[in-house]
Amino acid sequence: MKRIETTFEHVLFTSRWLMAPVYLGLAMAMLLLLFKFMKELFGLFAEIWSASGSELIIGVLTLVDVALIMNLLIIIMFSGYENFVSKMEDLHSHRDRPDWMGHIGFSDLKLKLIGSIVAISGIELLKGFMNAHNMTDRQLAWMVGIHVTFLFSGLLYAAMDRIAGKGH
């Protein structure tokens, strides 16, 4: 019976490698976002003389939005891989290794995720307000409601995480 248990635990432990292709897929998603970023950037240059100030600001906010999402993906890929799959031991002495790499736990990762979602939602809300003349009051109200929901969810999660951390 002990042998079956040991084999089962080994299979479960090894199954963490099933996440590796997921992190590779997120890296490929970053490539798609890079194309989206470049398309938006070139579009801004093409419309520089004909676009209004608010249209340019909305375009720049879209670039910031894509950058935040890509930064979030990097954090998720590195932290998730190191927390759930394998340590990146060979990269510890690499001169470009980010200082936070290897130090973000699962709880920190969730806080960074919700913080990024709130920031991205805020940018989308700002873009909506900049483009309010093309939106209905109902659409704007939904955007505000969704943003406030993300904001309060993030605050509540941070409070719960802080309370849970005090018990250790």
Side-chain angles (χ1 to χ4, degrees):
M1 192 64 169
K2 182 66 176 166
R3 187 173 176 197
I4 293 172
E5 180 182 355
T6 302
T7 302
F8 180 72
E9 290 170 355
H10 181 73
V11 168
L12 285 180
F13 184 70
T14 305
S15 70
R16 73 190 192 283
W17 283 96
L18 294 172
M19 285 300 298
V22 172
Y23 297 122
L24 182 61
L26 291 177
M28 288 188 264
M30 285 181 60
L31 188 61
L32 295 174
L33 286 169
L34 177 61
F35 285 121
K36 167 75 172 160
F37 183 92
M38 297 308 288
K39 178 183 172 193
E40 186 69 30
L41 182 64
F42 289 133
L44 282 175
F45 278 115
E47 297 173 4
I48 189 129
W49 303 114
S50 63
S52 69
S54 62
E55 289 172 334
L56 286 176
I57 291 171
I58 290 171
V60 170
L61 287 173
T62 300
L63 296 177
V64 170
D65 208 11
V66 172
L68 282 173
I69 293 169
M70 291 179 78
N71 288 338
L72 178 61
L73 287 175
I74 287 172
I75 292 170
I76 291 169
M77 286 184 311
F78 288 178
S79 298
Y81 184 84
E82 283 210 331
N83 280 312
F84 301 113
V85 179
S86 179
K87 300 289 180 203
M88 295 183 190
E89 299 292 334
D90 296 340
L91 300 177
H92 278 284
S93 60
H94 196 282
R95 66 183 181 99
D96 290 333
R97 180 184 165 97
D99 290 336
W100 55 264
M101 202 170 149
H103 301 289
I104 295 181
F106 186 60
S107 182
D108 298 324
L109 180 61
K110 289 189 288 186
L111 283 173
K112 289 190 182 308
L113 176 65
I114 193 70
S116 295
I117 289 171
V118 169
I120 291 164
S121 173
I123 289 172
E124 288 300 316
L125 184 59
L126 182 57
K127 285 170 34 180
F129 284 139
M130 298 281 303
N131 197 24
H133 58 279
N134 291 331
M135 300 182 78
T136 66
D137 290 344
R138 182 181 170 110
Q139 289 171 318
L140 287 172
W142 272 105
M143 290 179 77
V144 169
I146 291 169
H147 179 69
V148 168
T149 301
F150 285 146
L151 182 63
F152 280 121
S153 296
L155 290 172
L156 288 174
Y157 180 77
M160 289 186 308
D161 194 55
R162 185 178 178 122
I163 291 168
K166 287 185 178 181
H168 293 98

